[in-house]
């Protein structure tokens, strides 16, 4: 059985805790490797080594740091196929989707090549007589990232690339479900010229996370995962005086106005609802057609598209629309929620419960499901399902549709499909959700904008990537300097004001 390691000081290091987690091939259900789960002592040792390496990295000029990112981009492109294959094998998503996972991380690395510009700071000449004032953006020191299983390439890169470009050392605790790609990324960063100790990958579970949250050397923690864990990490990290940003779960609504192009809306819903088996925080999980006529037309368009979806292993290449869920527990949880939807009175229009794939009977595949007439009280509406299940809520008016999205506890992403600019504009202005698509079902902002949800989907006051990442991973120091010919006036005893 293959045994993974940690990546410490530029080398693979075997775990010493004696605890391991199984890594599955979700398509076959087989255990294909084991990952070590770090103890508090192992985390603390990795942090101490990172702290020793960090000052020299922070003192390296930002352009040289950016060149490491430039080379890293080249290596990511060189190894794209290898990374995608490793990603699909542990996660289960299709190969084209795995390449997208690497690509959306790579784009944030490209943005980080501009770090010298983003770190320039501010300067006021002659803020007073003979006085200049300047603000520097300085690295925090050692920072950490705790990441989820569903984007094992993209989200680690969203975290470590800006942090490292800013001059920090980074402790990455990836998901224990699919840690191979994060390990490969760390090796590529070393190959790109990153000094040892600046990117440490510590594999583990709650024990490693708690060690990160309680380690006094770690100045900031970025988390992405489910909302209960986000709330836990946010409160414990903040209580320990750290800067913390946590991004949580989602329930993304897509409002379909009666004037929308129904073919376009149905195509968008099928891709956004079932792509990656629904295991995306930006997946659309609730369709909200406005009016019964629009709902009937939408369902009519959706059913044949959903029934035609090809579900299979990533080894089928481009010939599959989505793959298995990540674990057996995830599959059982999703099927349990589908059962609750039926019990609570929703209409199961497409029933994927009997889905079987010949030769892959032990895999974690779940067939596509479509519910109609879902209501607010149902568990399938309140809960993030994170599977290939789309719920349809029939709204009686635009205001009713808007209220559904506004009242839901999550606020990650949303979309509206309409041909009417006035409605789209009103929606974008009033909705209390962080990322909004207008005739775009998955509005993931590009690397030079920022990514983040509202309400229970995001905790902390800055978003991920884009300019916000450079604020999150630095702190401002403001210097007031006077270089007169000589300080002649003597002491000043009242607070200086500009006259
Ligand atoms: P998860 O919360 O189970 O795990 C995320 C990380 O937290 C992992 O590294 C895991 O090891 C760690 N963790 C798990 N349980 C813990 C505990 N009890 N104490 C401390 N640490 C713990 O999430 P997941 O299943 O890996 O990922 C799916 C979730 O992530 C979904 O809810 C999805 O919506 C969310 N997500 C959100 C975004 C976003 O940007 N908002 C992006 C991707 C995924």
């Amino acid at each position: 059985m293959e045994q993974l390691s940690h990546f410490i000081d530029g080398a693979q290091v075997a775990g010493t805790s004696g605890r391991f987690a199984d890594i599955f091939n979700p398509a076959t259900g087989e255990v294909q490797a084991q990952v070590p789960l770090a103890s508090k002592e192992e985390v603390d040792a990795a942090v101490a080594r990172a702290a020793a390496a960090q000052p020299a990295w922070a003192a390296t000029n930002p352009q040289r740091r950016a060149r490491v990112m430039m080379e890293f981009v080249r290596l990511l492109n060189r190894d794209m196929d290898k990374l995608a294959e490793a990603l699909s094998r542990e996660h289960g998503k299709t190969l084209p989707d795995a390449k997208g996972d690497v690509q959306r991380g790579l784009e944030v690395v490209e943005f980080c090549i501009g770090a010298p510009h983003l770190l320039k700071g501010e300067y006021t000449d002659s803020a007073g007589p003979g006085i200049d004032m300047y603000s520097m953006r300085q690295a925090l020191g050692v920072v950490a990232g705790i990441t989820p299983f569903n984007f094992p390439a993209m989200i680690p890169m969203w975290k470590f690339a800006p942090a490292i470009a800013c001059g920090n050392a980074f402790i990455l605790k990836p998901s224990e479900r699919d840690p191979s790609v994060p390990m490969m990324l760390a090796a590529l960063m070393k190959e790109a010229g990153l000094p040892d100790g600046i990117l440490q990958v510590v594999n583990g579970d709650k024990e490693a996370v708690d060690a990160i949250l309680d380690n006094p050397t770690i100045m900031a923690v970025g988390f992405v995962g489910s909302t209960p864990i986000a709330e836990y990490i946010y409160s414990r990290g903040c209580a320990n005086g750290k800067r913390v940003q946590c991004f949580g779960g989602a329930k993304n609504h897509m409002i379909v106005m009666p004037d929308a192009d129904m073919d376009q809306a149905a195509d968008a819903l099928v891709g956004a609802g079932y792509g990656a088996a629904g295991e995306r925080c930006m997946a659309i999980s609730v369709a909200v057609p406005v009016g019964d006529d629009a709902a009937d037309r939408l369902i009519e368009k959706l059913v044949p598209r959903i029934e035609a979806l090809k579900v299979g292993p990533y080894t089928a290449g481009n010939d599959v629309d989505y793959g298995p869920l990540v674990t057996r527990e995830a599959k059982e949880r999703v099927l349990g929620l589908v059962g609750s939807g039926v019990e609570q009175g929703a209409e199961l229009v497409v029933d994927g419960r009997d889905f079987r794939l010949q030769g892959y009977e032990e895999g974690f595949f779940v067939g596509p499901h479509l519910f109609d007439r879902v209501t607010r009280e149902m568990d399938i509406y309140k809960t993030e399902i994170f599977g290939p299940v789309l719920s349809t809520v029939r709204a009686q008016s635009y205001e009713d549709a808007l209220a559904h999205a506004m009242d839901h506890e999550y606020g990650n992403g949303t979309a509206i499909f309409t041909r009417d600019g006035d409605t789209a504009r009103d929606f974008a202005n009033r909705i209390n959700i962080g990322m909004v698509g207008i005739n775009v079902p998955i509005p993931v902002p590009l690397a030079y904008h920022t990514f983040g949800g509202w309400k229970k989907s995001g905790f902390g006051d800055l978003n991920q990537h884009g300019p916000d990442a450079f604020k999150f991973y630095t702190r401002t120091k403001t210097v007031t300097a006077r270089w007169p010919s000589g300080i002649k006036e003597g002491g000043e005893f009242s607070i200086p004001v500009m006259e």
Side-chain angles (χ1 to χ4, degrees), residues 212 380 465:
I212 286 170
I380 51 169
H465 69 62

Side-chain angles (χ1 to χ4, degrees), residues 228-306:
I229 311 296
E231 286 176 317
Y232 167 71
I233 287 177
Y234 191 70
S235 56
R236 187 156 169 171
C238 290
N240 285 333
K242 299 186 195 312
R243 188 180 286 194
V244 188
Q245 58 173 193
C246 293
F247 301 92
K251 194 80 178 174
N252 304 319
H253 294 54
M254 179 169 132
I255 286 147
V256 182
M257 296 299 292
D259 69 347
D261 177 328
M262 284 299 163
D263 283 300
Q264 196 190 46
D267 284 339
L269 273 170
V270 170
Y274 301 93
E279 288 178 324
R280 288 180 183 144
C281 69
M282 290 292 278
I284 294 289
S285 47
V286 185
V288 192
V290 174
D292 278 326
D293 174 59
D296 291 341
R297 285 187 289 133
L298 182 65
I299 296 279
E300 192 188 315
K301 301 274 184 195
L302 278 172
V303 170
R305 285 168 167 84
I306 295 169

Side-chain angles (χ1 to χ4, degrees), residues 192-432:
L194 188 73
D196 293 348
I198 299 302
L199 176 56
Q200 315 272 57
V201 183
V202 182
N203 285 305
D205 57 2
K206 181 170 167 40
E207 183 173 341
V209 171
D210 287 347
I212 286 170
L213 296 174
D214 294 343
N215 186 300
T217 303
I218 293 179
M219 303 293 290
V221 177
F223 169 86
V224 180
S226 58
T227 289
I229 311 296
E231 286 176 317
Y232 167 71
I233 287 177
Y234 191 70
S235 56
R236 187 156 169 171
C238 290
N240 285 333
K242 299 186 195 312
R243 188 180 286 194
V244 188
Q245 58 173 193
C246 293
F247 301 92
K251 194 80 178 174
N252 304 319
H253 294 54
M254 179 169 132
I255 286 147
V256 182
M257 296 299 292
D259 69 347
D261 177 328
M262 284 299 163
D263 283 300
Q264 196 190 46
D267 284 339
L269 273 170
V270 170
Y274 301 93
E279 288 178 324
R280 288 180 183 144
C281 69
M282 290 292 278
I284 294 289
S285 47
V286 185
V288 192
V290 174
D292 278 326
D293 174 59
D296 291 341
R297 285 187 289 133
L298 182 65
I299 296 279
E300 192 188 315
K301 301 274 184 195
L302 278 172
V303 170
R305 285 168 167 84
I306 295 169
E307 286 175 343
L309 283 171
K310 286 177 276 177
V311 184
Y314 78 91
T315 42
N318 291 336
D319 201 30
V320 45
D321 295 315
Y322 75 81
L325 295 186
V326 68
T327 56
R328 183 166 284 113
E329 295 74 51
K331 175 177 173 170
E332 282 165 7
R333 185 181 157 276
V334 168
L335 291 177
L337 277 160
V338 169
S340 82
V342 174
E343 271 165 35
Q344 292 170 17
E347 195 181 310
L348 188 55
V349 184
V350 178
D351 184 351
R353 286 176 294 181
D354 289 332
F355 179 85
R356 300 281 177 280
L357 194 60
Q358 208 181 355
Y360 294 91
E361 287 78 5
E362 296 305 311
F364 312 141
F365 294 97
V366 174
H369 295 78
L370 175 66
F371 277 112
D372 193 4
R373 301 184 192 279
V374 173
T375 59
R376 282 175 185 248
E377 305 72 35
M378 295 178 184
D379 289 335
I380 51 169
Y381 181 71
K382 291 188 280 193
T383 315
E384 180 185 42
I385 299 177
F386 227 53
V389 183
L390 181 64
S391 298
T392 310
V393 171
R394 292 175 174 238
Q396 293 319 306
S397 63
Y398 165 68
E399 289 297 333
D400 183 26
L402 185 74
H404 270 86
M406 299 273 283
D407 294 347
H408 205 284
E409 65 171 343
Y410 292 118
N412 212 39
T414 188
I416 186 166
F417 273 61
T418 179
R419 289 192 175 103
D420 182 49
D422 181 42
T423 308
R425 215 169 156 263
D426 181 78
F427 182 74
N429 281 329
R430 286 168 63 196
I431 195 76
N432 56 358

